[in-house]
Amino acid sequence: MTSDPQRRSIGAKRNPASAEAILDAAENLLAERGYGGFTIEAVARRARAGKPTIYKWWNSKAALLLDVYQRQKSIVFTDTGNLEDDIVSFVTAIMAHWRDTPAGAVFRSVIAEAQSDEKSALTLKKFAEERQSETSFLIMRGLKRGEVKDEIFPKHAARWISAYLWFRLLTGDLAISEQDLRRDINVLLIGLAKS
């Protein structure tokens, strides 16, 4: 452990300086070595922190990866005035973010980790549910504008958007023309549209 006075232990609470050092170390390791070279031991060494400290604050490798991912994410929910354009804008922004920054590789790593670790799977499930609640805001706006059937549950529709995005991420197919994206989104909109 470091003797830096700003990083002294403060008990069970996270020391902000130590947490930032750990997140910086994790982010840099991912950039340098990728998921295959990413271990909690390597993060601990790079951050000059103990493994128990990391596991006290992040209960799994996926939890740490998700915090790294969240630091890199800055997506805005644009209100274009209609549901199709709102969804196209959102999906385009996410795919560009995953394609053009390290965030896509980080999120693929989280999904990979969740395949073999129960704690990571639960962490990913909780994260996905939180994001779907956020994304359902797009559908709720469509409901308020009268574009969506009253019986549609916004969170359920948001799952389809997430599934589409995850499929694109996991197949490495994040470059799509706006015309093809609109065709894909229209398949979802047919099921949502108020007649």
Side-chain angles (χ1 to χ4, degrees), residues 2-56:
T2 181
S3 60
D4 183 341
Q6 292 184 345
R7 289 192 50 198
R8 270 185 294 202
S9 173
I10 56 175
K13 287 177 67 176
R14 276 192 196 187
N15 178 317
S18 293
E20 280 301 305
I22 291 165
L23 288 166
D24 287 343
E27 191 168 358
N28 292 332
L29 275 168
L30 276 169
E32 292 167 19
R33 302 183 190 174
Y35 176 68
F38 183 88
T39 65
I40 296 298
E41 292 81 4
V43 172
R45 275 194 305 277
R46 173 84 52 109
R48 297 186 349 237
K51 269 177 62 178
T53 298
I54 294 174
Y55 279 117
K56 178 171 58 175

Side-chain angles (χ1 to χ4, degrees), residues 9 16 34-36 49 56 73 112 130 169 189:
S9 173
Y35 176 68
K56 178 171 58 175
K73 191 174 173 193
E130 289 168 358
L169 175 68
L189 292 175

Side-chain angles (χ1 to χ4, degrees), residues 14 22 29 45 47 54 62 65 74 150-151 159 161 167 177:
R14 276 192 196 187
I22 291 165
L29 275 168
R45 275 194 305 277
I54 294 174
L65 287 166
S74 59
D150 294 334
E151 63 270 21
R159 286 182 189 149
I161 297 169
F167 171 77
S177 70

Side-chain angles (χ1 to χ4, degrees), residues 5 19-20 24 51 66 93 95 110 117 123 126 173 182:
E20 280 301 305
D24 287 343
K51 269 177 62 178
L66 278 172
M95 288 199 302
V110 172
D117 179 72
T123 299
K126 181 180 177 202
D173 192 9
R182 285 187 183 277

Side-chain angles (χ1 to χ4, degrees), residues 78-91 138 145 147 178 182 185 189:
T78 306
D79 186 352
T80 66
N82 75 75
L83 183 58
E84 179 181 341
D85 289 340
D86 284 357
I87 295 173
V88 167
S89 175
F90 171 70
V91 169
L138 295 171
R145 290 191 296 244
E147 299 172 280
E178 183 176 336
R182 285 187 183 277
I185 297 302
L189 292 175

